[in-house]
């Protein structure tokens, strides 16, 4: 089994040490580097080729949001999981819009942080349905009319089935749950998700969900 290559980014050396100790106990995860600031990330990624970057938001020079946006704009970019505190909803939303695959709280139990890294490496967003609903509701509640109009214009390029899958992703359903709800195979769901990502020029299904909320598709569904 190939180990998941992980890069740790946090300006607090104690946090990095704790994460390193935590991840070091997982046989399927290899820590390939550490950075104390977002400005160091791109060079380290070039050198170490991580699969996943565990990224703090607040850092002294280049913050995690900027570093995430820069990384996700690259070809073959690693997945990014943001480290945050739960009250920083707006920061989390900005990170997800920048292309992060999800987030974990700094006080999350170690086993759950390890599991988050594994899930993101496997292509799954790290957002529970409860947290997804809270974040998306926040996004929808603060979205201006012009954001909704822009989102609806983007969604308009989707076919009917792609739109249904987009709504299901916005509701936080897994591929298997979408397949059951829409009476299609899991492979077909994956194909539709891939097409939606390509048509909308998005990085991952978390961004699909954000766009669905911006466009008001979940309100329409309700």
């Amino acid at each position: 089994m190939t180990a998941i290559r992980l890069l740790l980014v946090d300006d607090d050396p104690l946090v990095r040490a704790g994460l390193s100790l935590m991840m070091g106990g997982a046989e399927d995860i290899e820590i390939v580097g550490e950075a104390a600031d977002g400005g160091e990330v791109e060079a380290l990624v070039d050198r170490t080729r991580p699969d996943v970057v565990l990224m703090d938001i607040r850092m002294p020079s280049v913050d995690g949001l900027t570093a995430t946006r820069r990384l996700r704009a690259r070809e073959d970019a690693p997945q990014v999981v943001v480290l945050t505190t739960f009250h920083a909803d707006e920061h989390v939303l900005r990170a997800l819009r920048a292309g992060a695959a999800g987030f974990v709280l700094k006080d999350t139990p170690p086993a759950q942080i390890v599991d988050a890294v594994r899930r993101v490496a496997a292509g799954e967003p790290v957002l529970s349905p409860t947290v997804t609903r809270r974040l998306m509701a926040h996004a929808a509640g603060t979205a201006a009319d012009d954001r909704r109009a822009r989102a609806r214009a983007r969604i308009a390029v989707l076919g009917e089935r792609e739109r249904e899958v987009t709504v299901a992703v916005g509701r936080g359903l897994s591929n298997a749950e979408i397949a059951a709800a829409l009476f299609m195979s899991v492979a077909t769901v994956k194909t539709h998700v891939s097409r939606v990502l390509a048509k909308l020029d998005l990085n991952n299904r978390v961004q699909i969900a954000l766009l669905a909320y911006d466009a008001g598709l979940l309100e329409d569904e309700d």
Side-chain angles (χ1 to χ4, degrees):
M1 179 177 61
T2 303
I4 299 165
R5 298 173 62 81
L6 178 66
L7 176 63
L8 304 177
V9 185
D10 197 295
D11 64 328
D12 188 334
L14 291 179
V15 172
R16 292 200 309 274
L19 290 171
S20 182
L21 182 64
M22 181 191 312
M23 297 297 173
E27 295 182 356
D28 59 336
I29 297 176
E30 175 188 2
I31 299 175
V32 296
E34 297 182 14
D37 189 79
E40 305 170 14
V41 172
E42 288 190 272
L44 266 176
V45 166
D46 287 337
R47 189 160 67 249
T48 63
R49 300 294 178 184
D51 300 304
V52 179
V53 178
L54 200 52
M55 180 94 71
D56 187 23
I57 286 183
R58 293 172 179 165
M59 290 179 284
S61 180
V62 176
D63 63 44
L65 301 176
T66 301
T68 297
R69 186 171 60 252
R70 290 175 180 174
L71 272 186
R72 295 302 299 168
R74 297 160 53 113
E75 290 187 11
D76 300 322
Q79 296 293 339
V80 177
V81 179
V82 170
L83 287 166
T84 185
T85 54
F86 191 70
H87 68 271
D89 287 354
E90 186 58 36
H91 284 160
V92 172
L93 286 165
R94 288 172 59 197
L96 298 180
R97 294 185 192 283
F103 73 96
V104 293
L105 310 181
K106 287 194 174 182
D107 60 356
T108 297
Q112 292 182 27
I113 295 180
V114 172
D115 181 62
V117 170
R118 290 174 176 146
R119 286 174 55 195
V120 166
E124 300 178 22
V126 184
L127 290 171
S128 70
T130 300
V131 173
T132 299
R133 283 193 294 271
R134 172 171 172 175
L135 288 175
M136 302 309 171
H138 176 87
T142 58
D145 290 342
D146 61 340
R147 175 184 289 176
R148 172 160 296 192
R150 289 195 303 270
R152 291 204 170 208
R154 293 180 68 185
I155 292 289
V157 304
L158 301 180
E160 181 179 354
R161 216 54 169 152
E162 292 165 345
R163 184 185 177 97
E164 290 175 343
V165 169
T166 296
V167 171
V169 170
R171 291 172 54 203
L173 301 185
S174 68
N175 287 341
E177 290 169 334
I178 295 172
L182 299 182
F183 305 102
M184 61 177 69
S185 69
V186 172
T188 301
V189 173
K190 290 180 179 178
T191 297
H192 282 309
V193 170
S194 295
R195 287 176 179 168
V196 170
L197 289 170
K199 283 187 175 182
L200 300 180
D201 192 25
L202 300 175
N203 283 305
N204 53 48
R205 61 196 295 139
V206 175
Q207 290 186 327
I208 293 177
L210 284 167
L211 188 62
Y213 272 86
D214 279 350
L217 295 188
L218 277 254
E219 296 173 22
D220 293 345
E221 187 74 3
D222 293 338

